[in-house]
PDB file of all heavy atoms in Angstrom:
ATOM      1  N   SER A  23      13.832 -88.599 150.382  1.00  0.00           N
ATOM      2  CA  SER A  23      13.892 -90.052 150.575  1.00  0.00           C
ATOM      3  C   SER A  23      13.373 -90.500 151.933  1.00  0.00           C
ATOM      4  O   SER A  23      13.279 -91.694 152.194  1.00  0.00           O
ATOM      5  CB  SER A  23      15.324 -90.542 150.380  1.00  0.00           C
ATOM      6  OG  SER A  23      16.156 -90.014 151.389  1.00  0.00           O
ATOM      7  N   PRO A  80     -22.458-106.581 189.462  1.00  0.00           N
ATOM      8  CA  PRO A  80     -23.183-106.441 188.206  1.00  0.00           C
ATOM      9  C   PRO A  80     -23.983-105.131 188.155  1.00  0.00           C
ATOM     10  O   PRO A  80     -24.183-104.481 189.170  1.00  0.00           O
ATOM     11  CB  PRO A  80     -24.126-107.643 188.234  1.00  0.00           C
ATOM     12  CG  PRO A  80     -24.411-107.859 189.687  1.00  0.00           C
ATOM     13  CD  PRO A  80     -23.133-107.480 190.405  1.00  0.00           C
ATOM     14  N   MET A  83     -29.675-104.252 184.409  1.00  0.00           N
ATOM     15  CA  MET A  83     -30.151-103.561 183.207  1.00  0.00           C
ATOM     16  C   MET A  83     -31.646-103.232 183.284  1.00  0.00           C
ATOM     17  O   MET A  83     -32.127-102.398 182.535  1.00  0.00           O
ATOM     18  CB  MET A  83     -29.848-104.406 181.962  1.00  0.00           C
ATOM     19  CG  MET A  83     -28.360-104.635 181.734  1.00  0.00           C
ATOM     20  SD  MET A  83     -27.409-103.114 181.539  1.00  0.00           S
ATOM     21  CE  MET A  83     -27.900-102.641 179.897  1.00  0.00           C
TER      22      MET A  83
END
Side-chain angles (χ1 to χ4, degrees):
S23 65
M83 298 301 286

